[in-house]
Amino acid sequence: MMPKLCLLGVLVGFLLTGGVGTKNVHETLKPQRVRFQSRNFHNILHWQPGKALTDNSAAYFVQYKLYGEKQWKNKEDCWGTQELLCDLTNETSDPQELYYARVKTVSAGSYSAWSMTRRFIPWWEMKIDPPVINITQVNESLLVSLHTPNLPSKVQKGKNVSMENYDLVYRVFIINNSLEKEQLVYEGAHRVVRIEALTPRSGYCIAAELYQPMLDRRSQRSEERCVEIP
């Protein structure tokens, strides 16, 4: 009886050790720091490789869902990708909804558990870059050209919606250097703004920002552009 009991103990110990080892492999392959980054209405899922990965041979599989849904959906463009990011802009296009995403690793025949994001609400996390401005001087007036940061073509109900439908508002400010006075001179959707009736032999600086009224979200100020009126 003793030899049989010893053999049984060794076998059980081997199986338990193998199980723990397999579990450890799953854990060390698990993607790290899975999170969304939302910028200029682009919602990009990012992650880092698992602790056990030392090269770029792993494949990653991405799923997403809306809060309250039971079924996860495969992101076909990121199903078996070797990138460490996945563009989920179209799948998370409603800025006030709640979303989740998750990533799994497959490497050398082994696979990890899913690694899930925390709750993602684009409205809370979105950042907007400031517009880029160019100034053309015309006598005693200035033409200010405003260039929008790169925005995606928003998709709603299967239709492409142009960038103008993000309802972005430009705010243009002028600073009179002599008086050290700042003034809001324009607020609206036009991308070219004319500023007139400027004082000769004075210096002015122009800055602008973008504002999204529905989300009450604004960008930082652009870099100032300065000119001297002759």
Side-chain angles (χ1 to χ4, degrees):
M1 291 296 293
M2 289 300 293
K4 290 183 179 180
L5 288 175
C6 290
L7 180 60
L8 181 60
V10 170
L11 180 59
V12 171
F14 175 78
L15 292 174
L16 288 175
T17 303
V20 171
T22 302
K23 182 178 180 180
N24 287 340
V25 169
H26 291 339
E27 286 299 317
T28 55
L29 287 176
K30 190 175 180 180
Q32 307 292 306
R33 299 185 63 205
V34 181
R35 77 279 185 200
F36 276 98
Q37 290 184 0
S38 183
R39 195 175 197 91
N40 299 330
F41 299 92
H42 292 271
N43 300 326
I44 312 297
L45 184 69
H46 293 262
W47 62 89
Q48 294 296 322
K51 298 176 183 178
L53 296 173
T54 57
D55 54 32
N56 298 324
S57 62
Y60 300 96
F61 298 81
V62 175
Q63 293 183 329
Y64 64 94
K65 70 174 182 176
L66 189 68
Y67 175 77
E69 293 180 342
K70 294 183 179 180
Q71 297 297 322
W72 290 88
K73 299 175 183 177
N74 297 341
K75 173 60 176 175
E76 298 298 335
D77 293 345
C78 305
W79 200 249
T81 181
Q82 290 187 304
E83 302 289 336
L84 296 176
L85 55 84
C86 179
D87 190 339
L88 290 173
T89 299
N90 289 341
E91 291 75 15
T92 56
S93 60
D94 189 330
Q96 297 184 347
E97 282 288 0
L98 286 69
Y99 300 95
Y100 292 93
R102 63 182 187 178
V103 186
K104 175 185 285 189
T105 306
V106 175
S107 178
S110 297
Y111 61 91
S112 74
W114 289 102
S115 185
M116 191 173 72
T117 64
R118 60 181 175 83
R119 182 177 60 183
F120 170 63
I121 307 174
W123 173 45
W124 285 4
E125 301 190 34
M126 182 186 62
K127 297 181 179 178
I128 304 175
D129 288 333
V132 176
I133 61 176
N134 290 317
I135 298 177
T136 302
Q137 186 172 333
V138 182
N139 297 325
E140 295 178 2
S141 65
L142 300 175
L143 286 179
V144 181
S145 300
L146 301 157
H147 302 276
T148 310
N150 181 33
L151 301 178
S153 295
K154 194 175 181 182
V155 174
Q156 291 181 341
K157 298 180 182 179
K159 297 181 180 180
N160 288 328
V161 180
S162 68
M163 292 188 298
E164 281 71 16
N165 284 337
Y166 286 101
D167 296 324
L168 291 172
V169 172
Y170 296 96
R171 288 175 169 170
V172 180
F173 303 86
I174 188 168
I175 301 96
N176 186 322
N177 295 332
S178 301
L179 302 177
E180 297 184 353
K181 181 180 178 180
E182 179 181 286
Q183 180 183 358
L184 175 65
V185 291
Y186 177 77
E187 182 171 357
H190 293 157
R191 297 189 181 186
V192 178
V193 178
R194 190 181 189 100
I195 304 175
E196 299 180 305
L198 299 176
T199 304
R201 294 178 294 281
S202 298
Y204 293 90
C205 292
I206 307 294
E209 67 181 23
L210 279 172
Y211 178 64
Q212 214 294 333
M214 184 182 72
L215 303 179
D216 192 24
R217 187 62 52 88
R218 72 188 68 211
S219 71
Q220 294 183 340
R221 290 277 187 96
S222 68
E223 182 179 350
E224 291 183 358
R225 300 287 183 178
C226 299
V227 296
E228 293 284 337
I229 304 300

